[in-house]
Every structure is written in C-alpha cells, then in structure tokens.
Amino acid sequence: MTQKEKELFKNLCSFKQKHFDVDLLDAATPTVLGQLFFNRMQGVAYGVLKEHGLLNKVNREFRNSLKMGYEQQSEKNQSYFKCLNHLQECLRECTCNYALLKGAFLCAAYPNAYRTSNDIDILVAPQDVTAISRALYRAGFRQGDIRNGQFEPATRKEIIESKMMRGETVPFIKEVNLPSMKFLEIDINFSLDYKPGDTEFLTKMLDNATFYKINDKYVRTLRNDDFFIHLCSHLYKEATALPWIEMKRDMTLYKYCDIYMLLNDASMEEIDLIFKRAKDNGMEKICAFAVMQTSKLFNLANDFAVLKSKQILKDDPQFIHRVISPKDRKEFIYKEKNILKRLFSNDRRGLIIEVDK
C-alpha cells in the first residue's frame, strides 16, 4: 500500500474524529477496499463517508461495496440482538455470577452496523462452568464447530483438552436460522490468560458484574473499568500469541477499534481509574500495550492515555513488540517496530525473530 492509501484507511476507520481530509479520497483503491473488509471495518468506513457527506466523492464500486457491507451488518446485528435476548433468557435461572463480553455489549454501543460479532462470549469462574454448560444444553445447544456451513460435534477428548489447555470451552452451538446468522455460537471463558490459572482478579471482576442499558437493550456485563481491562487482555493475548500470527488473525483492526471507541473520549479521571485497577491486579503493562498500539493505528484524541502508557512502559519499551509461543514458551521480538507498517504486512510471521534466553 502507498502512504496515501494507508492514511485514507486510517481516516476511514477513525470515526470519532471531527474532520476528514477530502484530498485522501484519491486513494480509494481496490486495495483499501479489500483491507477494510479484511479488517471488518467496512461498516465504519461507510458510516464515516456518509457522516461527512462524501459518499458521492468515491468510485461507485467502492461506495456500493461498502454500502452492501453496511446493510448486511445491520441485518446481522438485528439477528444477533435477538440471540442475545434468547441467551439471557436461557441463563435466567442460573444463580452464579457471569458476564457477557465484547460484542454482546459493543455491537449496541457503536453507531448502527459499525460492529458485528460472530458469537457471544461468557465469562464465568471455573467452578461455575458446569452450571452454565447445563443451562445451555437444556436450551438445545451442543458443543462443536461449524465447518463448511455444517455443525460438527466435538469429541469428548476435544472438550476435555480445551478446558484443560485453553481456559475456555469448546463452543456451544445452536441452529437459529435467522437472517445473516444461521448458527448462534457461545464461548464460555474462565481464564484471562492462555490457560486456566490464577482466578483472583477474574472473581473480582465477576463480583462487580451488573446489567447495563445500552440504547434499548439490557446486557449483563462487567463494570466499565473491568470491561476495558478485559478487552485489553483479550487483544494482548491474541496479538502476542504466535499461533494467532500464523493464522493472520492477530491484528484484525476491529479489535483495536473497540479500544479506540472506549478510550477516545474517556476523561483523565476514568483513565486513572482504569490504570489503577489494572496495576492492582498486575495488568498495567497489558493495558499500556493496547493503548500504545491503538494510538498508532487510529487518530486517537486521548493524549493523556498515551502519555500514561508511555510512562508505564518506559523501563520496558520492547513490551509492545514481544511475541510468545504458548506451546513451548519461546519468546520472539518484532524486527519491524512501526505498528502501522506491521498491520499491512502480508507476512508478520516473517517479521519476528526468536529471542535467546
């Protein structure tokens, strides 16, 4: 991509900024269009062009592709919200603490059709996985995966290995046959890391979970600061894990956009609260990682959060460039330090080298 194409991409994704550089629209190429769809940012890009009255300034195919993507996402979200209501009904009788994560809250928090989700994530304490699982089984869910548009049940071995090694269950899936959503997939998470481990902070998060009203929808989720910290943790886990890099799913931009949306307008007091909560629970550097990388990928207005993150990482500036192989605990480092260039690389695996210990 040319520098101008990268700048246009960045501006089309930075939906919180007040002004748009019209001169960048000359770079509305098929390459930019492909990157928007690959990074699940087509709905945002269409909304930005519409908001600034610029839809007629780009090529018809560019505009119509974004419009169709936006409309499909709007349809999908209507189905997703129905599924969300259905899930909360399924869990109504559960007495244990749980919180719905990521898209369950964010799809409604964004402007219409800017954000979609392919599943619903539930966070629970390890001892409550069985109770939640039983509720889902009673509601007609089964564990497995969707391959080639068909449900394939998981084996007992796969179910046990996932719980033991990954800190999450094999997905629970139910055929719902809604527009743009044939299956509903539920992921039960009971760890903040690659695998089951210390659950003290997780328990604290769940103790503060409550119902939030977002537009006309109620969602049981984490307290605002904990929600942000969990997003950072999830982003960090995927962005720094070698298997995700090899699958080319480590830096999909919509995950960074979640950080950008919640962070851009946050007050200094809110930022201080987040970082204090993160520091108290050993996650301060992980939040700083997410803020620093996001600030390179979007036109982020929150200078205070960036400054705070720089201070946290001043003694470990390489933290935002490290990669871990969870399987063998090998450590790698990125040769390419420019985060935006890294995003557009066709081979990020080729940008890292193993660190000698």
Side-chain angles (χ1 to χ4, degrees):
M1 292 179 74
T2 67
Q3 186 58 36
K4 194 170 184 179
E5 285 174 324
K6 292 177 182 178
E7 285 301 313
L8 173 60
F9 177 87
K10 190 174 182 179
N11 276 262
L12 287 172
C13 295
S14 300
F15 70 94
K16 287 282 190 177
Q17 67 181 9
K18 302 283 190 245
H19 304 288
F20 190 94
D21 185 353
V22 181
D23 292 337
L24 292 172
L25 293 178
D26 291 341
T29 63
T31 300
V32 174
L33 183 65
Q35 286 287 350
L36 289 169
F37 275 86
F38 186 81
N39 284 280
R40 290 171 56 178
M41 298 299 293
Q42 65 269 30
V44 172
Y46 180 80
V48 167
L49 290 173
K50 184 177 181 180
E51 180 72 19
H52 291 280
L54 298 173
L55 287 171
N56 64 337
K57 301 291 185 181
V58 295
N59 173 274
R60 182 184 67 178
E61 304 309 324
F62 192 97
R63 175 177 65 248
N64 286 347
S65 295
L66 292 181
K67 181 182 179 182
M68 287 187 288
Y70 176 90
E71 290 173 347
Q72 191 273 336
Q73 292 197 168
S74 181
E75 179 182 76
K76 183 175 183 178
N77 271 351
Q78 294 309 307
S79 296
Y80 184 79
F81 295 142
K82 290 179 181 178
C83 289
L84 196 56
N85 292 336
H86 173 61
L87 173 63
Q88 293 191 129
E89 280 297 316
C90 295
L91 301 180
R92 183 180 292 274
E93 302 302 320
C94 288
T95 58
C96 59
N97 282 339
Y98 72 88
L100 305 184
L101 305 172
K102 299 185 296 179
F105 177 81
L106 292 167
C107 286
Y110 275 90
N112 179 49
Y114 278 28
R115 172 69 149 85
T116 61
S117 183
N118 296 318
D119 54 26
I120 301 175
D121 289 273
I122 307 175
L123 184 67
V124 299
Q127 66 270 20
D128 294 325
V129 172
T130 299
I132 297 290
S133 298
R134 285 174 177 167
L136 294 177
Y137 272 115
R138 286 195 299 269
F141 288 85
R142 295 294 178 265
Q143 286 183 272
D145 288 291
I146 304 300
R147 296 191 177 96
N148 297 318
Q150 299 297 320
F151 173 74
E152 290 190 12
T155 65
R156 180 171 175 77
K157 180 183 177 184
E158 289 171 335
I159 291 171
I160 293 172
E161 285 183 349
S162 183
K163 288 183 68 175
M164 294 293 292
M165 303 299 296
R166 297 173 54 197
E168 62 184 28
T169 62
V170 170
F172 286 78
I173 295 172
K174 182 178 181 179
E175 189 167 349
V176 291
N177 289 313
L178 291 169
S180 297
M181 184 174 281
K182 181 178 180 181
F183 295 97
L184 169 58
E185 179 177 322
I186 308 295
D187 291 327
I188 302 178
N189 300 266
F190 51 94
S191 172
L192 301 176
D193 204 341
Y194 302 109
K195 58 186 183 302
D198 179 39
T199 60
E200 182 179 355
F201 185 35
L202 184 151
T203 302
K204 291 178 184 177
M205 285 180 160
L206 290 170
D207 286 343
N208 292 314
T210 188
F211 279 93
Y212 283 86
K213 186 177 183 182
I214 183 74
N215 295 325
D216 61 339
K217 299 168 183 65
Y218 285 89
V219 177
R220 183 184 174 92
T221 190
L222 300 174
R223 196 174 69 183
N224 290 343
D225 53 342
D226 287 342
F227 188 91
F228 184 83
I229 292 169
H230 177 268
L231 271 185
C232 292
S233 173
H234 189 80
L235 184 149
Y236 174 80
K237 181 171 70 172
E238 295 183 349
T240 62
L242 183 61
W244 284 81
I245 293 171
E246 292 174 339
M247 291 187 292
K248 302 184 185 297
R249 294 177 59 193
D250 54 309
M251 288 187 72
T252 315
L253 197 68
Y254 79 94
K255 293 179 283 191
Y256 289 90
C257 193
D258 294 341
I259 305 295
Y260 164 73
M261 184 191 73
L262 296 175
L263 192 64
N264 195 76
D265 302 322
S267 67
M268 293 174 64
E269 291 77 13
E270 289 169 330
I271 298 301
D272 277 331
L273 178 63
I274 287 170
F275 277 110
K276 181 182 185 305
R277 177 77 162 164
K279 183 178 181 180
D280 290 344
N281 293 280
M283 301 183 73
E284 189 180 29
K285 289 170 71 172
I286 287 174
C287 288
F289 172 99
V291 173
M292 289 301 299
Q293 290 212 352
T294 299
S295 71
K296 304 299 183 182
L297 300 173
F298 290 85
N299 296 325
L300 181 65
N302 200 318
D303 295 333
F304 179 72
V306 176
L307 178 61
K308 190 97 172 172
S309 299
K310 286 180 178 178
Q311 291 173 340
I312 291 167
L313 297 176
K314 65 180 180 180
D315 295 326
D316 191 6
Q318 296 303 308
F319 189 77
I320 64 171
H321 305 303
R322 286 199 194 100
V323 171
I324 298 295
S325 174
K327 180 175 64 176
D328 50 26
R329 307 310 295 176
K330 289 183 179 180
E331 184 177 311
F332 302 80
I333 197 81
Y334 269 105
K335 297 177 291 182
E336 176 57 73
K337 307 301 183 186
N338 185 303
I339 306 298
L340 191 61
K341 285 184 179 179
R342 195 185 297 174
L343 173 73
F344 293 116
S345 172
N346 292 324
D347 179 24
R348 283 191 287 275
R349 178 63 179 87
L351 299 179
I352 61 174
I353 55 174
E354 188 174 347
V355 176
D356 294 327
K357 292 187 178 179

